[in-house]
Amino acid sequence: MLNGQVAHSYLENSCTLLIPRPPAANQSLRSPQPAAAAAASSSAAEEHGQGSGAGVGVAGEGGAEAVHVDRIRNCDIFVDAHDLYFYADVKLYKFHSRRTFDLRELKTLLIKFNTAENHYQICLRCLPQTAGAQEGSGGGAGGGGTGDAAKPKSGRKDYIATFLHLPTLADATNAQLPDKEPLVQEWKLKRITDQCQLQLDGNERTYKLTNHFGYGFASKYSGPLDTSELDRATCRVSEPHRMSPIQRRQERVVDEMKRFSREQYKMNFVELQVPSGHQNPLRYKPKIYETSMTQEQAHLLHNISREQTQEQQPWDILHQNEIDCGLISILLAICYDVRTTNNEATCESGWTRSILCPLYCYFEQFDNYRDVLVSFLRRMITYPLYRNFELGRQCVRDAIEVLKGGRNWLINQLLLTHQQFAGGEPSRDSFNSYYLEDYIRYVTSPSACSDEHLRLLARNLKNVLMDVNKRHLGLGVTEIETELIKELMQEMHLDTGSEGSSPQQQGHGDDELDLDNDPSGQEDETTTDDDSVITDSFDSMDMDMRFIENEIVYEDDEEEDEEEDDEDEDEDGDGADEDDDDSSSSTTTSSEAEGNSVIEQCSNSETAASISTSTK
């Protein structure tokens, strides 16, 4: 499936596209005109009820040529607001428009085919431009606009550019357009093939488009599949001959978006969920230079190599590119299974090697390495056990090493995959018939696939790996990882806060436990908390009053002692009377005073009594 260039032009509110018809699959790409073929089948005339001739005569100076109508009608068309995909027989043409297509009233699209110039002509209506919008010479691949007003150019600048042999502004702008090609979400394209009609050279007769596409190795197979050998659990396309490669790709992308699990990807993002007793797949080191072939595999290789149905012919550019991309897709699935099982095949190895390869599941055709890597990485984080983006990149590096010098290892793994498909349950032998056996013959042929050619594939694959990132997967992986990091940071903050408050909470908890375990609180069960609080307050008031009375008594004693020292000894009688009064007052309060104050008062009363008796 090779991409082609589309010439286009804008005229007022319409866009005209000129799409060249690709040569036949069995014809050289250098031939400008298809070879004369037999007339189209009579079913075409019966389908439309117009005439009985199935061929169309083309008038010319040298005579008339018969054009194969079936090949011209074999098209598939997808359209969106700014994009149009046109698959013509064996080639895909993409066009991106800067203006918006008017698809509201698109009921029937007329496609004109010019047999003299050998191209399709499609005219699509566009929405009117806004007042402030200015558009250049048009968008998309190839060709310039004729209807839009271009910005006037300076004659002086054109003269200087011509004199200095520099590219003009228009040439520089057109050269930069392919680099600014937007990323198209192909799963949003709408298929309008059933709404299209084909008209040849302006004749009144119109034809409906048909669907007869090739599949398998180099797209050399056609017709319905043998459903008895088809693994319906793995293969999603049961009639690949009625679906164009772009439609098969669209089916794959939609299925992957439905089956992708955000939670499963989060679980394997930080660390792979490796079961106990198994080695981490990221730490495995494949031994691609240490391989051996069993007797059964040698016998199988001999039988496959002997089944050459036709002479080996050099492939054209279209088929060679498709074959190489298919080989890389098969090899990537094998490298994942080898790395995750430590090169010890399990009962799930057949399923793993088939589900990760879009060739088996959707009979998909690739024409560039970037699409191969993107499809493998998408399926790797969607279906198997370990869903990690870095693990997928490591599998790509393993494939690069195999292509550099592991031809024997690759042949051995292809034979092992053939055995797993043939002997597994359910049987996947149809994959062997349409792909693996042809690829085994291709890899084992030094003339068709030399060591230098494999090393070239390794260099190209390495360069593409450096450009592919998570944004190309189209599954929102970057947003999922950002969301997971935020969740982990929030958990870390919560854990830090709980650790900082845990000592205080623990202290409060110990105090509460001490209060609960205090036996004094359990003696009087009838006492409530309010009563205990009131009682404690009254007790504290009594103690305060006692301390105040004691302080007053002590102050009185100190004053009286000072007066006794100042008086003369002749007034002992009066002092004794005062001492008796003081002793009597002190004794009344002795019960409320401390022990040392009571002893002092008693000693003072005894001395006073002895003095009174001596005087008598």
Side-chain angles (χ1 to χ4, degrees):
M1 187 174 63
L2 192 65
N3 295 339
Q5 299 294 325
V6 178
H8 67 283
S9 62
Y10 292 98
L11 181 60
E12 295 181 353
N13 291 332
S14 63
C15 177
T16 303
L17 308 177
L18 298 179
I19 303 174
R21 186 176 71 88
N26 57 354
Q27 188 179 6
S28 175
L29 292 174
R30 297 180 180 178
S31 176
Q33 294 281 349
S41 59
S42 58
S43 60
E46 296 177 356
E47 181 179 358
H48 303 283
Q50 298 178 0
S52 58
V56 178
V58 181
E61 297 178 356
E65 281 187 353
V67 180
H68 201 294
V69 181
D70 287 343
R71 286 197 60 245
I72 298 175
R73 296 167 55 195
N74 192 29
C75 301
D76 205 7
I77 305 174
F78 294 81
V79 69
D80 199 357
H82 292 274
D83 300 281
L84 182 136
Y85 281 28
F86 190 93
Y87 191 86
D89 196 29
V90 294
K91 198 171 185 178
L92 175 64
Y93 297 89
K94 298 180 180 180
F95 173 74
H96 178 76
S97 173
R98 293 184 178 179
R99 297 186 58 178
T100 305
F101 295 137
D102 187 5
L103 306 177
R104 294 172 298 180
E105 299 180 357
L106 182 61
K107 297 181 180 180
T108 302
L109 180 62
L110 183 63
I111 303 174
K112 299 180 181 179
F113 183 81
N114 191 332
T115 55
E117 299 181 2
N118 195 31
H119 64 70
Y120 299 90
Q121 180 178 351
I122 302 176
C123 184
L124 291 172
R125 293 183 59 85
C126 300
L127 294 177
Q129 292 182 343
T130 57
Q134 291 183 357
E135 201 162 335
S137 59
T146 59
D148 296 336
K151 184 178 180 180
K153 302 178 182 179
S154 173
R156 178 183 176 85
K157 294 181 179 179
D158 292 342
Y159 175 78
I160 295 175
T162 305
F163 179 77
L164 297 177
H165 302 284
L166 297 176
T168 62
L169 180 61
D171 296 336
T173 303
N174 293 333
Q176 294 177 359
L177 284 177
D179 298 335
K180 297 181 180 181
E181 183 179 358
L183 184 63
V184 181
Q185 296 180 345
E186 297 179 352
W187 62 276
K188 291 185 178 181
L189 296 174
K190 180 182 179 182
R191 186 172 182 267
I192 59 171
T193 306
D194 298 335
Q195 302 173 232
C196 299
Q197 292 184 356
L198 180 66
Q199 186 180 31
L200 299 178
D201 294 331
N203 295 331
E204 295 181 357
R205 181 178 179 180
T206 59
Y207 300 86
K208 287 186 177 181
L209 301 181
T210 59
N211 298 321
H212 297 288
F213 303 100
Y215 57 91
F217 180 81
S219 301
K220 68 177 184 178
Y221 297 96
S222 60
L225 293 172
D226 187 1
T227 56
S228 61
E229 300 178 354
L230 186 64
D231 178 18
R232 297 184 181 275
T234 305
C235 184
R236 307 295 181 181
V237 178
S238 59
E239 295 182 346
H241 63 290
R242 296 191 178 278
M243 299 177 65
S244 64
I246 182 62
Q247 189 175 2
R248 302 172 203 166
R249 177 188 300 178
Q250 194 177 49
E251 292 288 335
R252 173 182 63 82
V253 172
V254 172
D255 289 344
E256 291 168 355
M257 295 179 65
K258 291 180 180 179
R259 296 176 179 271
F260 177 71
S261 174
R262 297 169 60 93
E263 299 301 326
Q264 187 71 20
Y265 181 79
K266 287 181 180 180
M267 292 175 59
N268 290 270
F269 170 64
V270 179
E271 185 178 3
L272 292 179
Q273 303 297 317
V274 182
S276 59
H278 294 263
Q279 183 181 356
N280 193 330
L282 289 172
R283 302 176 183 174
Y284 175 75
K285 296 181 179 180
K287 302 178 181 179
I288 60 176
Y289 299 103
E290 300 178 6
T291 181
S292 59
M293 185 179 299
T294 62
Q295 184 176 1
E296 184 179 358
Q297 291 176 348
H299 183 68
L300 176 62
L301 178 61
H302 175 73
N303 293 335
I304 292 176
S305 301
R306 192 176 56 180
E307 295 176 358
Q308 293 284 356
T309 56
Q310 57 183 1
E311 297 181 359
Q312 193 67 256
Q313 296 181 358
W315 303 101
D316 53 22
I317 298 177
L318 189 151
H319 287 147
Q320 184 65 50
N321 206 24
E322 180 183 340
I323 293 171
D324 293 338
C325 291
L327 177 63
I328 294 174
S329 180
I330 295 174
L331 177 58
L332 291 175
I334 293 175
C335 290
Y336 177 90
D337 179 66
V338 171
R339 175 168 284 274
T340 54
T341 60
N342 297 333
N343 200 16
E344 296 179 0
T346 63
C347 58
E348 297 292 336
S349 295
W351 176 86
T352 303
R353 299 188 181 198
S354 61
I355 199 67
L356 295 180
C357 183
L359 272 69
Y360 302 140
C361 301
Y362 297 90
F363 294 93
E364 190 169 351
Q365 301 174 3
F366 295 101
D367 57 2
N368 61 84
Y369 304 132
R370 178 178 172 274
D371 290 345
V372 176
L373 291 187
V374 170
S375 64
F376 167 73
L377 293 174
R378 283 174 58 96
R379 300 187 71 79
M380 192 274 305
I381 63 175
T382 303
Y383 290 99
L385 176 62
Y386 304 110
R387 307 178 185 182
N388 184 274
F389 183 80
E390 185 58 33
L391 176 61
R393 291 178 62 89
Q394 191 61 44
C395 295
V396 178
R397 298 187 187 100
D398 296 343
I400 293 173
E401 295 299 324
V402 172
L403 294 174
K404 287 182 178 179
R407 178 193 289 268
N408 294 333
W409 187 90
L410 175 58
I411 296 174
N412 187 13
Q413 290 296 329
L414 291 176
L415 293 173
L416 178 61
T417 306
H418 188 285
Q419 293 175 335
Q420 293 173 348
F421 286 171
E425 184 63 34
S427 177
R428 301 181 178 91
D429 201 33
S430 59
F431 303 153
N432 295 333
S433 303
Y434 295 116
Y435 286 104
L436 266 183
E437 294 179 359
D438 291 298
Y439 272 108
I440 292 174
R441 286 190 285 265
Y442 173 72
V443 174
T444 54
S445 175
S447 59
C449 183
S450 61
D451 293 338
E452 182 63 27
H453 181 70
L454 292 178
R455 287 192 290 268
L456 177 62
L457 295 181
R459 289 195 296 269
N460 295 336
L461 188 60
K462 183 178 180 180
N463 295 334
V464 175
L465 178 62
M466 299 173 61
D467 298 332
V468 174
N469 52 44
K470 298 177 182 179
R471 182 180 62 87
H472 295 104
L473 303 186
L475 295 174
V477 174
T478 306
E479 291 77 6
I480 296 174
E481 294 177 357
T482 304
E483 179 183 348
L484 177 60
I485 292 174
K486 291 181 179 179
E487 293 176 358
L488 295 177
M489 293 179 64
Q490 291 178 358
E491 292 179 1
M492 292 174 61
H493 287 307
L494 293 176
D495 295 339
T496 305
S498 61
E499 291 176 359
S501 61
S502 59
Q504 299 179 0
Q505 295 178 356
Q506 184 176 1
H508 290 299
D510 295 340
D511 296 340
E512 293 176 358
L513 291 176
D514 294 340
L515 293 175
D516 294 339
N517 297 330
D518 189 4
S520 62
Q522 298 178 359
E523 292 179 357
D524 189 3
E525 297 179 356
T526 60
T527 303
T528 60
D529 294 339
D530 296 335
D531 295 339
S532 61
V533 171
I534 297 172
T535 306
D536 294 338
S537 62
F538 278 114
D539 294 340
S540 61
M541 290 175 65
D542 293 340
M543 293 296 295
D544 294 339
M545 294 298 293
R546 290 173 185 175
F547 287 133
I548 292 171
E549 292 176 356
N550 294 334
E551 290 177 357
I552 295 172
V553 172
Y554 296 149
E555 291 176 357
D556 295 338
D557 293 339
E558 291 175 356
E559 292 177 356
E560 292 174 355
D561 292 337
E562 290 178 355
E563 292 177 356
E564 288 176 357
D565 295 336
D566 293 338
E567 293 179 351
D568 296 333
E569 295 179 356
D570 297 333
E571 297 177 355
D572 292 333
D574 298 333
D577 296 334
E578 293 175 358
D579 292 337
D580 293 336
D581 298 334
D582 295 335
S583 61
S584 61
S585 64
S586 61
T587 53
T588 56
T589 60
S590 61
S591 60
E592 299 175 359
E594 296 178 356
N596 54 358
S597 61
V598 175
I599 295 172
E600 291 177 357
Q601 292 174 2
C602 292
S603 61
N604 292 331
S605 61
E606 290 177 356
T607 55
S610 62
I611 292 171
S612 61
T613 54
S614 63
T615 55
K616 292 180 179 181

